[in-house]
């Protein structure tokens, strides 16, 4: 009976590293969760309500924030409950679903950031052609690709590895990420290894290279243009570049960490970053730095104060 229990359930060992600090982390993470959800939902509602924000750039921002809302809603409640449970365990199937959701939304963010980079490129470098290129149909296709392709590739990868026998049942983490594969008795088969490399290239590296290429072209063209063009480019591109840099660093750590032995304390600290302040990046950066969104937010809060 014990063997069946071990095969079915995984213990999340990352909580043990927190000690008495877990209660402080609980308060901080609960606060971050509430603020992130409220800000993200507010900005998405503003974009939906105001016709002036029904432009491709703001639609992509709304899609990013929607991903953030789904991510926070799926991950945080379980994490917060685990702070007060005596033993943090999760079924293997639920662990794989958590892994799927985490990487699906992360990969989708890369696609959406690529779409935003392309939108900025067309807007700044080809303004006269912008209405014809960034049509409603084009935006809909981009959104469909950004959600379907990562979902399909990750589902295939997880299904291929889901039947492998587990030799270890304690995961040194507070949630299920790619470290789950280190619990399996044998490594990935050649076919799956090739597929995973292809998925990594198509969902992360290629979008990242595309974004770098696009913003390089924007910088070259705006450098040759007037001061107003450079100012417009800086106002609209800087928030995207900040988000891209921080998001890429987190993803790079997450992909690389499974290849090396990292001290438990360092791994815990790096993992917590994804939950302590990263959920606030999208709503704060896009809410404060994007002029039109910031204007509607200020107007909304001013009305709330008057009421």
């Amino acid at each position: 009976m014990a063997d069946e229990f071990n095969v079915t359930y995984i213990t999340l060992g990352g909580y043990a590293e927190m000690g008495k600090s877990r209660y402080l982390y609980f308060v901080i993470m609960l606060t971050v969760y509430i603020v992130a959800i409220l800000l993200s939902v507010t900005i998405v509602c503003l974009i939906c309500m105001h016709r002036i924000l029904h432009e491709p750039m703001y639609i992509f921002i709304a899609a990013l924030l929607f991903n953030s809302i789904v991510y926070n809603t799926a991950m945080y409640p379980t994490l917060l409950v685990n702070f007060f449970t005596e033993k943090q365990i999760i079924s293997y199937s639920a662990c794989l679903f958590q892994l799927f959701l985490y990487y699906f939304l992360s990969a989708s963010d890369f696609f959406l950031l690529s779409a935003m980079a392309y939108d900025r490129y067309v807007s700044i470098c080809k303004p006269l052609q912008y209405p014809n290129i960034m049509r409603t149909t084009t935006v809909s296709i981009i959104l469909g690709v950004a959600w379907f392709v990562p979902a399909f590739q990750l589902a295939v990868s997880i299904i291929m590895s889901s039947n492998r026998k587990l030799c270890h049942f304690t995961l040194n983490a507070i949630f299920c990420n790619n470290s789950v594969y280190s619990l399996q008795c044998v490594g990935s088969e050649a076919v799956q290894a090739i597929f995973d490399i292809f998925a990594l290239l198509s969902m992360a590296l290629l979008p990242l290279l595309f974004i770098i290429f696009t913003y390089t072209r924007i910088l070259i063209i705006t450098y040759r243009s007037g001061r107003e063009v450079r100012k417009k480019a800086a106002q609209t591109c800087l928030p995207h570049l900040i988000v891209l840099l921080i998001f890429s660093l987190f993803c790079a750590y997450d992909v690389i960490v499974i290849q090396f032995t990292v001290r438990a304390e360092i791994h815990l600290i790096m993992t917590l970053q994804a939950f302590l302040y990263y959920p606030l990046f999208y709503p704060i950066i896009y809410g404060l730095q994007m002029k039109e969104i910031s204007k509607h937010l200020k107007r909304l809060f001013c009305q709330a104060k008057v009421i």
Side-chain angles (χ1 to χ4, degrees):
M1 191 72 180
D3 290 338
E4 292 180 5
F5 178 83
N6 287 335
V7 170
T8 307
Y9 289 89
I10 294 172
T11 300
L12 299 173
Y15 290 90
E17 302 293 335
M18 296 183 185
K20 294 181 179 179
S21 300
R22 67 167 61 186
Y23 302 110
L24 174 62
Y25 284 124
F26 171 82
V27 174
I28 296 173
M29 290 177 69
L30 178 61
T31 304
V32 168
Y33 172 58
I34 294 173
V35 173
I37 287 292
L38 289 176
L39 284 176
S40 298
V41 170
T42 300
I43 295 174
V44 170
C45 289
L46 284 175
I47 292 173
C48 293
M49 290 168 55
H50 297 282
R51 185 173 292 275
I52 195 173
L53 299 179
H54 292 181
E55 297 180 6
M57 177 176 65
Y58 299 111
I59 292 173
F60 294 139
I61 290 175
L64 274 174
L65 292 173
F66 175 76
N67 279 3
S68 180
I69 292 168
V70 174
Y71 170 82
N72 293 335
T73 303
M75 304 292 283
Y76 267 86
T78 303
L79 289 172
L80 294 172
V81 169
N82 281 338
F83 279 110
F84 294 98
T85 55
E86 184 176 348
K87 192 173 183 181
Q88 295 79 27
I89 59 174
I90 184 172
S91 68
Y92 185 48
S93 57
C95 189
L96 290 177
F97 178 72
Q98 195 177 71
L99 180 149
F100 165 80
L101 203 59
Y102 177 68
Y103 289 108
F104 155 60
L105 293 173
S106 297
S108 176
D109 282 359
F110 262 121
F111 277 85
L112 291 172
L113 289 171
S114 300
M116 293 169 72
Y118 179 68
D119 176 77
R120 291 302 82 207
Y121 168 74
V122 177
S123 175
I124 295 170
C125 304
K126 300 180 179 180
L128 297 179
Q129 301 176 40
Y130 183 83
N132 292 326
I133 295 176
M134 298 304 294
R135 296 178 178 178
T136 304
T137 304
T138 306
V139 174
S140 300
I141 292 173
I142 291 173
L143 291 176
V145 170
W147 282 318
F148 175 77
V149 172
F152 175 76
Q153 291 187 334
L154 284 165
V156 171
S157 178
I158 290 174
I159 290 172
M160 290 172 69
S161 64
S162 60
N163 293 326
R164 285 206 187 90
K165 185 178 179 181
L166 300 181
C167 287
H168 308 282
F169 306 98
T170 300
L171 189 66
N172 185 29
I174 60 175
F175 72 103
C176 295
N177 56 10
N178 60 5
S179 299
V180 170
Y181 296 129
S182 65
L183 304 180
Q184 297 173 349
C185 298
V186 295
S188 300
E189 297 175 358
V191 174
Q192 185 181 354
I194 293 172
F195 182 84
D196 288 345
I197 292 173
F198 170 77
L200 179 62
L201 290 174
S202 61
M203 293 189 298
L205 186 58
L206 289 180
L208 180 60
L209 292 176
F210 175 78
I211 294 170
I212 293 172
F213 170 78
T214 304
Y215 281 118
T216 301
R217 291 290 302 161
I218 291 174
L219 289 174
I220 292 172
I221 292 174
T222 54
Y223 179 77
R224 298 170 181 170
S225 304
R227 184 176 179 181
E228 287 300 317
V229 176
R230 289 196 294 269
K231 184 179 179 181
K232 178 186 175 182
Q235 286 177 343
T236 58
C237 294
L238 187 60
H240 306 321
L241 289 173
I242 293 173
V243 168
L244 175 66
L245 176 62
I246 297 171
F247 182 64
S248 298
L249 289 175
F250 279 129
C251 291
Y253 172 81
D254 189 78
V255 171
I256 294 171
V257 68
I258 195 173
Q259 307 297 330
F260 302 96
T261 302
V262 180
R263 288 181 58 186
E265 299 86 352
I266 297 176
H267 183 53
L268 176 63
I269 291 171
M270 290 299 295
T271 301
L272 285 173
Q273 307 312 304
F275 295 99
L276 290 179
Y277 54 78
Y278 182 71
L280 295 173
F281 281 155
Y282 287 165
I284 288 179
I285 290 178
Y286 290 127
L288 297 179
Q289 295 297 322
M290 301 304 290
K291 187 176 179 181
E292 284 296 326
I293 295 177
S294 177
K295 182 175 69 177
H296 284 90
L297 277 175
K298 290 176 182 177
R299 189 176 299 168
L300 177 65
F301 288 126
C302 288
Q303 289 177 351
K305 286 182 180 179
V306 172
I307 294 174

